[in-house]
Amino acid sequence: MSNTSPSSHSSEVYDLRSAIELLKQFDGEYIETDEPVNPEAELSGVYRYVGAGGTVMRPTQTGPAMVFNHIKGYDNFRVLIGLLASRQRVARLLGVPKEKLAHLLRSSVHNAIAPVEISQQQAVCQEVVHLATDDGFDIRRLLPAPTNTPEDAGPYFTMGMCYAADPETGEHDVTIHRLCVQGKDEISMYFVPGRHLDQFRLKAEQAGKALPITISIGVDPAIEIGACFEPPTTPLGFDELAIAGGLRGRAVELVKGVAVDARAIAHAEIVIEGELVPDYRVQEDQHTQSGKAMPEFPGYTGEAQAAVPVIKVKAVTHRKNPILQTCIGPSDEHTNLAGIPTEASILDMVERALPGLVKNVHCPSPGTGKYVAVLQINKRGPQDEGRQRQAALLAFSAFSELKHVFLVDEDVDVFDLNDVIWAMTTRYQGDADTIFIPGVRCHPLDPSQDPAFSNSIRAHGITCKTIFDCTVPYDLKHNFQRSQFMEVDVSRFIPGFNR
């Protein structure tokens, strides 16, 4: 079996519950608690110590996924957090070594399988139905949406697969967005400029129409990873659910909504159905006036937006004894969701332009999965000298929100930042190996990308992108050979030892 082919165990995963059953086979990957927990800040406060990692304020750590079985105020609901907050766990759920995840995702893009629709009778996500027309319908009392911190603008759904169709072409897109519960049947939806679903919303709004949308929560993790691809790998009109199909080797199953003209993920734990209302905005923190939204991936709490679009909820459906899935914004869960598809996108673009030059790519946790990439360069001869910097330029093209690119040689482990910094220490000179690309649009949630931080920045969201070339010039490689040790079978001395 190829080491980029998914294992047979991962092929058994088709929804959230089968993913959990797979994790139970491994020590230290999954835990549950029966201790009652408050979803308002307490739940995230617990997991911050257990397994959040990422850019969460220290102390934190990499740890198991965790299910809270008793949520205060919500009978029969469980909450799962941290499912993807470990690269090793993602690798187990997708069935490949963690070093090969980018290669697997790249292959899945090229072998995508379009989703299919099944009947409502077959769809477990509609085992229980709550319509907004029902007496007493209130999404705030129905679903235990957590708040990450006491200063959040409100309860947020952070792991909802938002799915809608272009009102003109019928092409679909799935994305994860910041969703704040604003009332008994209203959810605000924050769009970073340029997102495809926002393009669909704008088209509908310009025609004076609402945009039907579904939010599927608690799904096969292959869907969550696939949903995080961005242009140019997945251009407008590319349905990222097809990537999940490629990852699993079978189509994602969808079902028609019970209250809106949109489709949802049939094996989801929970589905929220609604419509993005045209020409209607709310202040994101209208109930708290805190000026804060929720913790975001750079490690800071995002500013509440003054005017965000609103989803009018028409129905909530769910499985019996449902599991609501959530994440902490700055945790490694976000790093893996954003970073692994970014690695695949960079690897694909560079391989097409410069075959064989880049062996692997890593978007590490301190770089949030979006801002930093490390490229492992294989200089095969003097003709490759200089091409490593071309690869860095291609990386910026493959993912527009990338801020820093580190280039290292093939003998450096891109997944070990100690090794990367060692290369920067011994194979890099700041005046010769730093390439600045100023005045480039990046991502608005980086607080340093602002005129108040640097007078070189014209407007918020513009940055100076930087290449750190930590590779040895090809004609000097003989002077930079690492010490070579004897290859030995350590298990002779320590039975069961695994390198």
Side-chain angles (χ1 to χ4, degrees):
M1 179 187 296
S2 167
N3 59 2
T4 58
S5 299
S7 70
S8 59
H9 290 297
S10 72
S11 65
E12 300 168 2
V13 176
Y14 60 92
D15 65 358
L16 181 59
R17 298 187 190 194
S18 56
I20 290 172
E21 290 305 311
L22 175 63
L23 292 183
K24 288 179 179 179
Q25 300 176 28
F26 300 95
D27 292 337
E29 291 287 29
Y30 174 84
I31 57 172
E32 295 183 6
T33 178
D34 290 330
E35 177 68 19
V37 68
N38 192 328
E40 295 183 11
E42 186 178 42
L43 188 151
S44 293
V46 171
Y47 195 67
R48 173 262 184 106
Y49 292 107
V50 172
T55 58
V56 170
M57 184 178 178
R58 273 51 186 163
T60 187
Q61 65 180 5
T62 299
M66 186 172 186
V67 165
F68 293 83
N69 289 322
H70 295 288
I71 312 301
K72 292 180 180 179
Y74 299 89
D75 295 334
N76 302 319
F77 267 89
R78 296 168 285 167
V79 173
L80 165 68
I81 189 168
L83 180 69
L84 304 175
S86 149
R87 190 180 183 96
Q88 177 63 69
R89 195 151 58 244
V90 174
R92 283 172 168 156
L93 289 165
L94 296 183
V96 293
K98 60 183 183 292
E99 298 82 9
K100 292 296 181 180
L101 281 166
H103 296 268
L104 172 65
L105 264 69
R106 176 176 181 248
S107 173
S108 299
V109 171
H110 290 283
N111 295 280
I113 299 173
V116 297
E117 187 175 309
I118 64 174
S119 70
Q120 292 180 319
Q121 290 74 26
Q122 296 173 287
V124 293
C125 71
Q126 295 176 353
E127 288 177 337
V128 180
V129 176
H130 306 272
L131 298 174
T133 54
D134 295 341
D135 289 341
F137 179 90
D138 190 336
I139 196 170
R140 296 168 298 188
R141 293 199 293 266
L142 203 56
L143 300 178
T147 57
N148 275 190
T149 75
E151 65 180 5
D152 285 9
Y156 278 89
F157 298 110
T158 56
M159 288 292 285
M161 305 299 110
C162 304
Y163 196 56
D166 186 314
E168 295 177 354
T169 68
E171 295 171 323
H172 283 77
D173 185 81
V174 61
T175 328
I176 301 173
H177 292 272
R178 194 165 85 195
L179 303 168
C180 185
V181 180
Q182 298 290 353
K184 68 183 184 67
D185 62 353
E186 289 189 353
I187 299 172
S188 64
M189 189 171 187
Y190 171 57
F191 292 98
V192 172
R195 292 294 188 259
H196 290 170
L197 279 184
D198 199 28
Q199 300 302 306
F200 297 172
R201 181 191 65 81
L202 289 170
K203 284 184 180 182
E205 187 169 77
Q206 289 164 4
K209 298 179 179 178
L211 181 70
I213 188 169
T214 64
I215 304 162
S216 299
I217 302 172
V219 299
D220 178 357
I223 295 172
E224 295 163 347
I225 293 286
C228 292
F229 273 93
E230 297 188 16
T233 303
T234 53
L236 185 66
F238 188 106
D239 189 341
E240 290 86 356
L241 290 181
I243 299 175
L247 281 167
R248 293 300 186 204
R250 60 176 179 273
V252 173
E253 294 182 337
L254 303 173
V255 64
K256 288 180 180 177
V258 298
V260 299
D261 185 18
R263 298 187 296 177
I265 297 167
H267 293 281
E269 292 289 321
I270 301 161
V271 174
I272 301 169
E273 301 182 14
E275 294 177 337
L276 276 158
V277 183
D279 303 312
Y280 178 37
R281 308 287 188 272
V282 298
Q283 181 181 323
E284 194 171 13
D285 63 337
Q286 62 177 326
H287 300 300
T288 64
Q289 304 296 321
S290 67
K292 307 281 189 174
M294 60 166 283
E296 283 284 4
F297 64 89
Y300 304 96
T301 297
E303 293 184 6
Q305 299 297 302
V308 282
V310 174
I311 298 170
K312 196 75 170 178
V313 177
K314 301 295 183 181
V316 171
T317 71
H318 58 78
R319 299 182 70 163
K320 295 174 182 175
N321 302 311
I323 305 169
L324 187 142
Q325 187 178 354
T326 189
C327 76
I328 294 176
S331 71
D332 262 338
E333 191 143 24
H334 185 280
T335 299
N336 292 322
L337 281 165
I340 297 170
T342 299
E343 294 166 8
S345 295
I346 293 171
L347 193 63
D348 187 58
M349 180 167 281
V350 176
E351 180 62 23
R352 283 187 283 134
L354 301 168
L357 183 69
V358 174
K359 295 180 67 176
N360 217 333
V361 181
H362 184 212
C363 294
S365 180
T368 78
K370 283 179 175 283
Y371 293 161
V372 174
V374 185
L375 275 61
Q376 187 181 47
I377 303 295
N378 177 30
K379 294 180 185 177
R380 296 151 295 186
Q383 74 279 0
D384 281 338
E385 187 57 53
R387 286 180 176 163
Q388 76 275 14
R389 299 184 180 187
Q390 181 66 32
L393 295 173
L394 287 165
F396 288 129
S397 299
F399 188 70
S400 64
E401 294 170 356
L402 197 59
K403 183 179 180 183
H404 295 152
V405 172
F406 288 80
L407 303 169
V408 298
D409 291 299
E410 73 278 5
D411 63 342
V412 176
D413 183 353
V414 295
F415 299 98
D416 182 347
L417 289 187
N418 287 331
D419 220 25
V420 173
I421 297 302
W422 168 82
M424 192 176 194
T425 301
T426 65
R427 300 178 176 185
Y428 165 88
Q429 288 295 315
D431 62 338
D433 297 316
T434 315
I435 301 93
F436 299 115
I437 311 172
V440 186
R441 179 68 60 179
C442 199
H443 194 285
L445 292 180
D446 178 352
S448 73
Q449 296 173 177
D450 192 270
F453 194 90
S454 171
N455 58 17
S456 68
I457 296 174
R458 292 180 60 88
H460 184 77
I462 290 176
T463 197
C464 177
K465 301 198 174 192
T466 309
I467 300 168
F468 301 92
D469 189 349
C470 308
T471 63
V472 175
Y474 184 79
D475 60 356
L476 297 178
K477 286 178 82 71
H478 60 281
N479 293 332
F480 290 82
Q481 297 298 313
R482 302 183 76 158
S483 303
Q484 300 294 305
F485 294 85
M486 178 185 292
E487 285 296 332
V488 296
D489 180 7
V490 182
S491 63
R492 284 176 45 215
F493 305 89
I494 307 175
F497 182 86
N498 185 1
R499 290 191 300 171

